[in-house]
Amino acid sequence: MLMRHFVVRDAIIPALAATTRDEVIREMVRALHAASPFDTQDVEEVVKAVIRRETLGSTGIGRNIAIPHTRHAAVNRLSGTVAITTNAIPFDSIDNEPVNIFVLLVSPQDQPGPHLRALECVVQTMRDDGRVAALKAATTQDQIWELLS
Amino acid sequence: MSGTGAIRRTVVITNPRGLHPRAVLVFLKTCKQFKATITVWRGEKQADGRSMWDLIGLAAEPGTELVLELDGDDAAAAVGPLGELLESPGSDDE
């Protein structure tokens, strides 16, 4: 699996406006819904689900990367987006470092396999220090998309 | 797999969400109670039991068989609680 298989290109955010954890999640979920609508108009319901999951334990996996995610009845297939900020945001990460690169995943409730493989794909992709540095420096959707091979 | 002194236990993931990141966090926290070298195998794929990245990288779905391998003075004490965590059906969170 490649990140391009589940990241929605038009939902990529090269420069987050958000400055807090919850604002990041809300901005990303809204961008994903705008580019690839959920089966609900209640986008805030999905936002709350991601925040609720984050409250159980941070998805900040270290090295300035976080993978906020949820499984939700409002979607029938795995999708996601990537967001970048130059102003790293506190995320209670495992290494206590703030986050510049966010990968949001929203999955159906009954498909753990694709969800877990997407998470695996994200960590494998982000093991590449050069790619992570390039993502942090990226300023356009196209630049980020090209780095998700 | 490593040394002859290691203790191994085969576990099957029963959590309906698989070995998801929240379960990994709980596993990592419990690992801190022990000094043993902790390795988790999925077939030939090896994960450092103290690495979130490695454990997420196993993508262990429900029904996946893993081998927990511990090496060190407290390996015998650690294998029970760590094995039970991996085999736990979990709660309703992610």
Side-chain angles (χ1 to χ4, degrees), chain A residues 82-123:
Chain A
V82 175
I84 309 294
T85 180
T86 53
N87 300 313
I89 295 171
F91 219 75
D92 197 23
S93 296
I94 195 166
D95 62 357
N96 297 314
E97 293 294 322
V99 174
N100 298 94
I101 300 172
F102 298 89
V103 182
L104 171 74
L105 299 176
V106 182
S107 301
Q109 288 181 316
D110 58 350
Q111 296 178 23
H115 186 83
L116 292 165
R117 286 193 291 278
L119 289 163
E120 174 196 17
C121 176
V122 173
V123 298

Side-chain angles (χ1 to χ4, degrees), chain B:
Chain B
M1 296 184 193
S2 66
T4 54
I7 295 174
R8 297 184 189 90
R9 174 168 163 179
T10 300
V11 299
V12 176
I13 299 295
T14 62
N15 188 315
R17 297 176 187 272
L19 186 59
H20 56 79
R22 173 72 182 137
V24 168
L25 272 179
V26 175
F27 184 81
L28 293 173
K29 187 176 177 183
T30 306
C31 284
K32 289 182 178 175
Q33 299 172 20
F34 305 102
K35 294 179 179 175
T37 299
I38 302 166
T39 307
V40 183
W41 297 83
R42 179 180 181 175
E44 296 299 311
K45 193 168 187 177
Q46 177 182 4
D48 177 347
R50 299 182 189 274
S51 166
M52 167 167 272
W53 289 53
D54 277 13
L55 292 169
I56 290 175
L58 292 176
E61 301 176 35
T64 299
E65 186 174 287
L66 302 174
V67 175
L68 175 64
E69 182 182 79
L70 300 113
D71 199 351
D73 290 345
D74 58 1
V79 68
L82 292 177
E84 285 163 16
L85 270 181
L86 290 176
E87 289 186 313
S88 166
S91 58
D92 199 31
D93 62 47
E94 292 196 39

Side-chain angles (χ1 to χ4, degrees), chain A residues 7-14 27-36 80-83 141:
Chain A
V7 169
V8 177
R9 185 173 187 160
D10 289 341
I12 293 172
I13 304 171
E27 189 173 344
M28 293 184 76
V29 170
R30 286 179 174 170
L32 184 57
H33 177 64
S36 179
T81 184
V82 175
Q141 283 186 337

